[in-house]
Amino acid sequence: MALARRLLGDPHGPADDHSGGLITAPKRYELMAGAAFLGRRRAAYDRLVGLAGVVTGDRVLDIGCGTGYLTRRAAAAAGAVVGVDPSPNMIAYARRASPPSCAFHVAEGRRVPEEDESFDVAVSSLAVHHIEPGQRAETFAEVFRLLRPGGRLLIADFRPPRGAIGSRFVGVMAGHAMRHNPVEQYAPAIAAAGFTIIDEGDLKPFLHYVRARR
Ligand SMILES: C[S@@+](CC[C@H](N)C(=O)[O-])C[C@H]1O[C@@H](n2cnc3c(N)ncnc32)[C@H](O)[C@@H]1O
């Protein structure tokens, strides 16, 4: 079992090598995420908010929000943001750490208890590889339902290292789902849900993003 699953997840929960599953230890997650971004987490997440084109007055959805770090960065630019995550521990932390402009649901990305076409922008960071592969198409379809026509989507996730040493390191530390994260399959899957792809690219230190329009 990878080190991250021991430290962050429920080691007695359903083991699934092909997704990161639920994270249940928010304080440890925050420590590890801060370390992984080498002090540049805020700058990276503000760049994601900028890439998503969030502007004042937008209603934003954050899928797999975890502790709500991106939710709060989006709220600073937008106004109202709703974060969803199936982990009650992560949502409890997010609620404590966030201002009233952020609301949260304990929910999977494929079943968000919100109205059709009720968001201007949807964002997600480091979360799709935590969703079981068989549920990702359903999740993108749910986001399509939730965005208004012309609404914008930004999915950012872990881009596995290409070199053998880096790849082995990620496997030992984080497990199969991160080591073999198929980010190149995201744009086709998002397009299959009905979105028009705008572009995709890499963001330092280890993110790959896809931007799309509903
Ligand atoms: C690595 S964390 C990322 C959290 C946050 N977005 C960030 O950038 O710090 C991945 C999150 O995805 C959540 N997750 C797992 N399965 C999910 C699902 N089916 N739908 C939405 N989120 C899910 C986990 O509970 C975890 O909080």
Side-chain angles (χ1 to χ4, degrees):
M1 184 187 291
L3 186 62
R5 187 168 172 85
R6 283 179 205 272
L7 291 174
L8 302 178
D10 174 6
H12 307 296
D16 181 355
D17 251 6
H18 298 281
S19 85
L22 256 58
I23 292 184
T24 58
K27 286 184 186 162
R28 274 184 232 158
Y29 175 74
E30 281 300 288
L31 284 173
M32 286 178 71
F37 278 96
L38 303 169
R40 303 278 303 152
R41 189 181 185 198
R42 181 168 170 157
Y45 279 46
D46 281 347
R47 180 91 177 101
L48 294 180
V49 172
L51 282 168
V54 175
V55 293
T56 311
D58 278 345
R59 187 164 189 251
V60 181
L61 173 68
D62 181 6
I63 308 132
C65 65
T67 53
Y69 195 96
L70 180 63
T71 322
R72 290 187 290 284
R73 299 315 308 151
V81 187
V82 175
V84 298
D85 197 292
S87 167
N89 289 4
M90 295 296 257
I91 291 294
Y93 183 105
R95 283 193 174 120
R96 283 196 303 273
S98 303
S101 53
C102 302
F104 296 95
H105 298 297
V106 177
E108 292 181 332
R110 62 184 174 144
R111 291 208 186 91
V112 177
E114 291 280 345
E115 300 285 318
D116 293 1
E117 302 182 5
S118 57
F119 291 92
D120 302 292
V121 182
V123 295
S124 179
S125 57
L126 294 171
V128 173
H129 74 274
H130 281 260
I131 299 173
E132 285 180 33
Q135 297 178 1
R136 291 176 193 169
E138 226 182 318
T139 304
F140 294 138
E142 176 70 339
V143 178
F144 189 87
R145 176 187 77 76
L146 291 160
L147 277 175
R148 66 163 171 78
R152 302 172 304 283
L153 172 65
L154 173 101
I155 297 286
D157 204 355
F158 182 75
R159 172 176 45 81
R162 294 176 184 105
I165 294 172
S167 176
R168 266 188 80 86
F169 178 75
V170 169
V172 171
M173 296 298 287
H176 180 100
M178 270 176 93
R179 182 178 183 184
H180 299 288
N181 193 21
V183 284
E184 71 288 349
Q185 294 174 13
Y186 285 12
I190 290 166
F195 288 93
T196 302
I197 302 298
I198 299 170
D199 60 7
E200 60 183 307
D202 292 342
L203 191 64
K204 285 181 180 171
F206 47 64
L207 295 174
H208 184 81
Y209 68 85
V210 179
R211 293 197 289 180
R213 190 174 292 279
R214 189 225 203 263

